[in-house]
Amino acid sequence: MNYFPAEPFRIKVVEPIKMTTKEERAELVREAGFNLFSLKSSEVYIDLLTDSGTGAMSDYQWAGMMLGDESYAGSKNYYNLEKAIKNILGFPYFVPTHQGRAAENLLLSLLVNENDYIPNNMHFDTTKAHVLHKKGIPVDLVIDEAYDPTNNYPFKGNMDLTKLENFILDKGTDVIPLIILTITCNSGGGQPVSMENIKGVSDIAKKYKIPFYIDACRFSENAFFIKTREPGYEKKSIKEIVKETFSYADGCTMSAKKDAIVNIGGYLALRDKDLHQKASSLAVLFEGFPTYGGLAGRDLEAIARGLEEVTEESYLNYRIGQVKYLGDKLIEAGIPIIEPPGGHAIYIDASRFLPNIPQKEFPAQALGVELYIESGVRGVEIGTVLAGRDPRTGDHDYPKLELLRLTIPRRVYTNNHMDVVVEGLKKIYQRKDKISGLEITYESDILRHFTAKFKKI
Ligand SMILES: *Cc1c(COP(=O)(O)O)cnc(C)c1O
């Protein structure tokens, strides 16, 4: 029996979701060119496409929405959020932004020059894109364990400190304007970073006088892993762990669509007054006046309240517990996933699930289509389709892993929904030898995964 911490909330508002038949779904996904992005959300029963902006706000957050002060300048909600960021994260300054990538734009525009190197444990797509946009060079220095899907190391998101220091010594500090640490490590499967490692990165950054920033989208989920896995932190509260985490950094970029449990928003938080002034000026150009930053006053209030709720232990116990519940049930059924389960998603290893489908026939995409037809569940391919083509050879840029990501929205689905996912995958696993691969019939030059069309082989 799996122990699962039950929901620390009760349900006050419900949103009906449509049940379709297997026959209907087979037709719908065929019409969508076997691309799950082309489905209407109303055709999806359980939507595990992303945890970004898909969370359910609490009554406390919704009540805060009614207290939105929509003044152009100096809204009271701005000051409420400032207080939350000071109290919970410990940063004296911040600029609200319309979402996480906008905060990255501000920070990287200010710090990165052409041909600069930006070390990160693993860049998230938008961070990497912004570094490249500023003509910088993104460098991933995560520990090797991160690339082994069966390795159960508890902090697979850690930066490799030796690699980091060697990299600095090799390139010199002049061309490294900042170091970023992504917690949890999204591109590595939502794997956490230990406090020892956060401190280690900070120590190296200080030693070489390089600014150190945290990509903080899932800071609270990371704190929970520290509490439950890192010796010495068992008795500390989540709020203490969060405070310590950020105490080592010069600032953070944040997508509030993740660990602030709102549907839109973000911010750049800073310790340096001058940099804050510069970021505020830049924000006027890209986001809006610095006390609203592209958001409504009510959005700022919801973020402030979300930051309080997301750092409650009962919430995290349930949140991480639910992802683990899904992961453990799949492991029990012999279904290959990235282990251990991360903080916000389960990643099915499609190469091991469908060994008869070669990488060039998109096993993770095929598995995603099959899961939609079987159960109405929408996951997302993180494999060859997403990776695109190598511009030099024109061939697919084959990644190390072919994954189907099942991302769990916050406070949205119950464990009965998780069971539907498990049962669907078990059925598919039994007939896995009969599943065929896919062939591309249309693709765009950039970001092909969103619009590509396929046919069954
Ligand atoms: C989502 C995300 C971002 C970007 O945030 P958006 O709100 O989607 O712009 C940056 N870094 C990480 C690690 C993320 O998960």
Side-chain angles (χ1 to χ4, degrees):
M1 264 293 283
N2 282 299
Y3 168 71
F4 170 70
E7 289 80 358
F9 52 79
R10 51 187 176 180
I11 297 166
K12 176 141 53 183
V13 177
V14 296
E15 176 188 357
I17 40 180
K18 195 159 114 188
M19 315 281 279
T20 45
T21 64
K22 235 170 125 166
E23 291 69 34
E24 286 169 330
R25 290 191 294 270
E27 182 54 24
L28 288 166
V29 78
R30 201 185 54 75
E31 281 169 19
F34 300 103
N35 186 337
L36 302 176
F37 281 107
S38 299
L39 291 169
K40 294 189 179 120
S41 67
S42 59
E43 295 162 353
V44 175
Y45 176 47
I46 299 172
D47 204 346
L48 306 184
L49 189 66
T50 176
D51 67 325
S52 179
T54 52
M57 295 208 296
S58 67
D59 55 352
Y60 179 62
Q61 284 175 296
W62 278 108
M65 296 285 276
M66 286 305 291
L67 302 175
D69 167 3
E70 305 307 341
S71 308
Y72 193 92
S75 155
K76 72 177 178 218
N77 311 114
Y78 170 83
Y79 294 104
N80 289 346
L81 180 51
E82 181 180 58
K83 205 186 294 170
I85 289 174
K86 260 186 199 148
N87 289 345
I88 298 167
L89 315 184
F91 292 115
Y93 305 109
F94 87 107
V95 188
T97 58
H98 77 275
Q99 58 186 85
R101 67 198 68 184
E104 293 171 348
N105 180 36
L106 297 181
L107 181 69
L108 299 171
S109 295
L110 291 170
L111 297 184
V112 179
N113 291 311
E114 201 168 330
N115 294 328
D116 279 350
Y117 293 94
I118 317 300
N120 198 324
N121 44 350
M122 274 177 109
H123 283 82
F124 179 67
D125 325 9
T126 60
T127 326
K128 183 175 170 184
H130 273 291
V131 169
L132 291 171
H133 186 67
K134 273 90 206 170
K135 301 196 164 55
I137 303 157
V139 185
D140 289 348
L141 299 176
V142 73
I143 56 171
D144 292 338
E145 285 86 341
Y147 296 108
D148 175 1
T150 57
N151 188 320
N152 265 280
Y153 188 71
F155 292 103
K156 283 167 90 171
N158 280 359
M159 183 89 85
D160 188 320
L161 298 179
T162 313
K163 278 190 209 161
L164 176 64
E165 191 153 15
N166 287 341
F167 187 81
I168 296 169
L169 291 171
D170 181 36
K171 302 291 178 195
T173 54
D174 290 351
V175 289
I176 305 178
L178 78 160
I179 297 169
I180 305 175
L181 191 62
T182 307
I183 64 170
T184 56
C185 185
N186 188 359
S187 305
Q191 298 292 329
V193 179
S194 71
M195 191 69 86
E196 189 188 15
N197 194 255
I198 296 168
K199 188 168 181 304
V201 174
S202 169
D203 288 344
I204 291 175
K206 282 201 185 91
K207 180 170 163 191
Y208 295 98
K209 300 196 171 57
I210 301 171
F212 168 42
Y213 284 84
I214 291 179
D215 179 344
C217 298
R218 296 178 185 78
F219 72 93
S220 195
E221 291 172 6
N222 198 74
F224 186 80
F225 283 117
I226 289 175
K227 183 176 168 80
T228 51
R229 292 183 184 172
E230 189 162 349
Y233 287 89
E234 309 84 346
K235 295 219 164 59
K236 296 227 157 117
S237 72
I238 293 295
K239 287 198 163 66
E240 284 171 322
I241 295 172
V242 166
K243 260 277 176 62
E244 184 182 339
T245 298
F246 290 110
S247 75
Y248 299 121
D250 295 298
C252 75
T253 54
M254 174 74 182
S255 171
K257 301 169 75 171
K258 284 51 171 278
D259 268 359
I261 327 184
V262 296
N263 306 117
I264 195 73
Y267 53 80
L268 169 64
L270 298 160
R271 227 176 269 295
D272 184 290
K273 195 174 172 190
D274 278 352
L275 199 61
H276 174 247
Q277 242 156 27
K278 287 184 188 141
S280 299
S281 312
L282 207 54
V284 177
L285 187 60
F286 290 110
E287 300 298 301
F289 192 75
T291 61
Y292 74 83
L295 297 170
R298 54 179 172 268
D299 296 324
L300 301 175
E301 189 63 34
I303 297 173
R305 293 177 180 220
L307 289 175
E308 283 174 45
E309 291 182 353
V310 82
T311 46
E312 275 167 20
E313 202 160 320
S314 57
Y315 159 75
L316 286 166
N317 221 1
Y318 144 77
R319 163 71 176 160
I320 305 294
Q322 183 171 50
V323 177
K324 186 172 181 312
Y325 173 88
L326 174 60
D328 285 351
K329 283 214 153 177
L330 291 174
I331 293 169
E332 221 173 83
I335 291 168
I337 66 167
I338 292 195
E339 295 182 51
H344 67 289
I346 294 297
Y347 295 70
I348 315 239
D349 187 342
S351 311
R352 279 189 288 149
F353 193 112
L354 298 171
N356 51 325
I357 300 184
Q359 211 171 2
K360 68 176 185 343
E361 294 174 12
F362 313 116
Q365 184 76 17
L367 182 59
V369 166
E370 214 56 41
L371 181 59
Y372 172 71
I373 295 172
E374 181 65 48
S375 309
V377 174
R378 171 159 68 176
V380 62
E381 192 251 21
I382 310 276
T384 300
V385 181
L386 177 71
R389 287 183 187 274
D390 183 327
R392 288 160 305 181
T393 63
D395 193 9
H396 301 300
D397 191 5
Y398 293 110
K400 285 190 192 129
L401 298 170
E402 288 290 328
L403 304 171
L404 177 67
R405 186 181 79 182
L406 305 172
T407 338
I408 315 300
R410 296 171 179 77
R411 304 192 291 208
V412 170
Y413 294 113
T414 66
N415 275 12
N416 287 333
H417 292 115
M418 297 302 114
D419 287 344
V420 170
V421 178
V422 174
E423 290 311 310
L425 283 165
K426 275 192 197 165
K427 279 194 196 148
I428 298 168
Y429 203 50
Q430 280 161 12
R431 57 178 165 79
K432 64 182 159 59
D433 300 332
K434 298 201 186 73
I435 294 167
S436 55
L438 296 167
E439 188 184 313
I440 288 190
T441 58
Y442 163 79
E443 66 184 295
S444 62
D445 289 345
I446 47 164
L447 302 174
R448 66 175 178 177
H449 56 289
F450 289 126
T451 51
K453 302 277 179 225
F454 303 84
K455 67 174 188 203
K456 282 202 174 174
I457 292 172

